[in-house]
Amino acid sequence: MGAIFLYEIMGTAMLTLLGCGVVANAILPKTKGNGGGWLLINFGWGLAVFAGVYVAYKTGAHINPAVTFGLLTSGAEFYDPNGAIPVNFGNTIAYIVAQMIGAFIGAVLAWLGHKQHFDEDAEPAVKLAVFSTGAEIRNPLWNTVTEILGTFVLVFVILQFGNTPSGLGPLAVALLVVGIGNSLGGPTGYAINPARDLGPRIAHAVLPIRGKGDSDWGYSWIPVVGPILGAVIAGLLHLSI
């Protein structure tokens, strides 16, 4: 359990440090990447996953509760590729708690790296967007469907990687995330990871960010429930084929 906390916290922190960081670079005032656009953000998040997976490799590099739930429902016996961490209730909770802590830490570090730019005048929604996702067309049902679909693709393909001879490792997951962002990320910003959205949203709520506005808690359940449902569906389908 100590290994779970160490590696999942570090891996998820790396994920959100680089992921929230690329959003900050693309949308905050007076950064060198300002106006970099959607592709910069997508590739930045893909490379954030790439780095996070390498950091957390010893625990199977879940760095995402959706991946943990997908493995749980897929019939897997172990959470890591070396067979050292059995699938059980205690380890499941440890993964999720560690991922939440890591996501919060990474978001705080991303804020520190861009502190002067957060101090510049910008719409509250822009500052919140560095930390968490939001829908372009707000509709709870369809926003949830979008998150279910994106996370289903993520988790199902990751599970299928284990049945193929691919040697791409973390690069394959990184490219998958870029693909999901390009194809399914437009409506909601593709959280596809409850920790990635909720941990930074909590950071946004507690950090002393100038002119930040509220943290949009009314939307916050969608990037949690949608990815969990998508992951469970992916795990059950993987189990059945």
Side-chain angles (χ1 to χ4, degrees):
M1 192 168 290
I4 294 171
F5 271 94
L6 175 63
Y7 289 101
E8 289 293 318
I9 287 174
M10 291 176 59
T12 314
M14 184 65 69
L15 168 71
T16 53
L17 167 59
L18 298 181
C20 293
V22 72
V23 179
N25 188 32
I27 68 175
L28 288 181
K30 299 183 180 179
T31 64
K32 292 186 181 296
N34 182 267
W38 187 239
L39 287 180
L40 172 65
I41 292 172
N42 284 350
F43 276 99
W45 271 107
L47 293 173
V49 170
F50 183 77
V53 169
Y54 267 115
V55 170
Y57 77 99
K58 284 195 174 180
T59 52
H62 297 194
I63 62 175
N64 181 348
V67 173
T68 304
F69 276 108
L71 287 167
L72 177 67
T73 56
S74 73
E77 295 183 8
F78 297 96
Y79 275 137
D80 68 310
N82 297 320
I85 306 175
V87 174
N88 59 42
F89 178 79
N91 287 338
T92 302
I93 297 301
Y95 269 96
I96 294 170
V97 171
Q99 291 153 4
M100 286 295 301
I101 294 171
F104 176 87
I105 292 171
V108 171
L109 295 175
W111 168 72
L112 287 172
H114 295 84
K115 172 64 168 61
Q116 294 183 95
H117 302 277
F118 277 105
D119 290 341
E120 295 290 321
D121 290 331
E123 290 295 321
V126 171
K127 295 182 179 182
L128 176 59
V130 172
F131 294 89
S132 54
T133 61
E136 291 299 302
I137 301 175
R138 193 133 172 167
N139 182 304
L141 172 60
W142 293 111
N143 301 155
T144 304
V145 168
T146 298
E147 288 294 334
I148 289 172
L149 286 171
T151 313
F152 170 82
V153 172
L154 174 72
V155 175
F156 186 71
V157 175
I158 286 174
L159 292 172
Q160 291 300 106
F161 283 160
N163 296 330
T164 70
S166 171
L168 293 175
L171 179 59
V173 182
L175 293 174
L176 174 61
V177 169
V178 173
I180 293 169
N182 286 341
S183 300
L184 296 170
T188 62
Y190 76 120
I192 61 174
N193 181 340
R196 167 266 173 276
D197 193 276
L198 185 56
R201 196 182 296 269
I202 294 170
H204 175 271
V206 302
L207 286 171
I209 302 169
R210 178 176 176 268
K212 67 179 178 180
D214 68 62
S215 301
D216 195 10
W217 292 108
Y219 183 83
S220 64
W221 65 271
I222 292 173
V224 173
V225 173
I228 291 173
L229 290 175
V232 168
I233 294 168
L236 292 174
L237 181 60
H238 178 79
L239 178 64
S240 68
I241 61 177

